[in-house]
Amino acid sequence: KQWYNADVREAVGSTQSTGEGNGMIKVNGVPIDLIEPATLRYKVLEPILLLGKKRFEGVDIRIRVRGGGATARIYAIRQAISKSLVAYYQKFVDETSKKENQGHPVELRQDPVGG
């Protein structure tokens, strides 16, 4: 089970590969916990914090991102993670789970980095 997608956002190109796995998320071959700049790492982790690690346990996500500045890349990565998970659940799990992932209330609006 594999899903591929390409996206362009704010002059940043990204491609996502999503499939069954053990919860690994890599960006340009680097684990998500080591993304730089460290001050913006929290923004990349938002989808995981909102939905919980449990939803990501059986899914491996590989993201390639290029172009743009550091902040634009961070936001493109965040969007790619969200889109990948929703598409994976839609295609390989069930429609109910997809809707739960899509309509999750945004609770982390207080941004510790950007204020």
Side-chain angles (χ1 to χ4, degrees), residues 1 59 87-98:
K1 294 179 182 179
V59 180
Y88 179 82
Y89 271 82
Q90 177 182 7
K91 192 164 188 163
F92 301 117
V93 183
D94 63 357
E95 191 69 22
T96 307
S97 296
K98 179 196 112 177

Side-chain angles (χ1 to χ4, degrees), residues 1-4 17-21 58-60 62 88 91-94:
K1 294 179 182 179
Q2 200 73 24
W3 179 82
Y4 297 97
S17 167
T18 308
E20 286 183 339
V59 180
D60 281 353
R62 288 177 192 85
Y88 179 82
K91 192 164 188 163
F92 301 117
V93 183
D94 63 357

Side-chain angles (χ1 to χ4, degrees), residues 39-47 74-75 78 111 113:
T39 54
L40 292 174
R41 190 176 302 145
Y42 179 80
K43 297 304 272 181
V44 172
L45 296 174
E46 275 183 352
I74 292 291
Y75 282 98
R78 184 175 73 162
D111 191 1
V113 177

Side-chain angles (χ1 to χ4, degrees), residues 39-71:
T39 54
L40 292 174
R41 190 176 302 145
Y42 179 80
K43 297 304 272 181
V44 172
L45 296 174
E46 275 183 352
I48 299 163
L49 296 173
L50 279 171
L51 296 173
K53 284 192 174 190
K54 186 177 177 187
R55 293 206 198 256
F56 290 87
E57 282 177 354
V59 180
D60 281 353
I61 301 174
R62 288 177 192 85
I63 301 169
R64 285 257 178 241
V65 64
R66 63 199 173 283
T71 304

Side-chain angles (χ1 to χ4, degrees), residues 6-11 15 18 21-23 25 27 40 46 48 50 54 57 62 72-74 98 102 107 112:
D7 195 14
V8 176
R9 181 180 193 282
E10 295 181 16
T15 56
T18 308
N22 57 1
I25 302 175
V27 178
L40 292 174
E46 275 183 352
I48 299 163
L50 279 171
K54 186 177 177 187
E57 282 177 354
R62 288 177 192 85
R73 281 195 302 270
I74 292 291
K98 179 196 112 177
Q102 255 181 343
E107 299 165 358

Side-chain angles (χ1 to χ4, degrees), residues 20-32:
E20 286 183 339
N22 57 1
M24 176 189 68
I25 302 175
K26 286 191 173 184
V27 178
N28 293 339
V30 177
I32 194 168

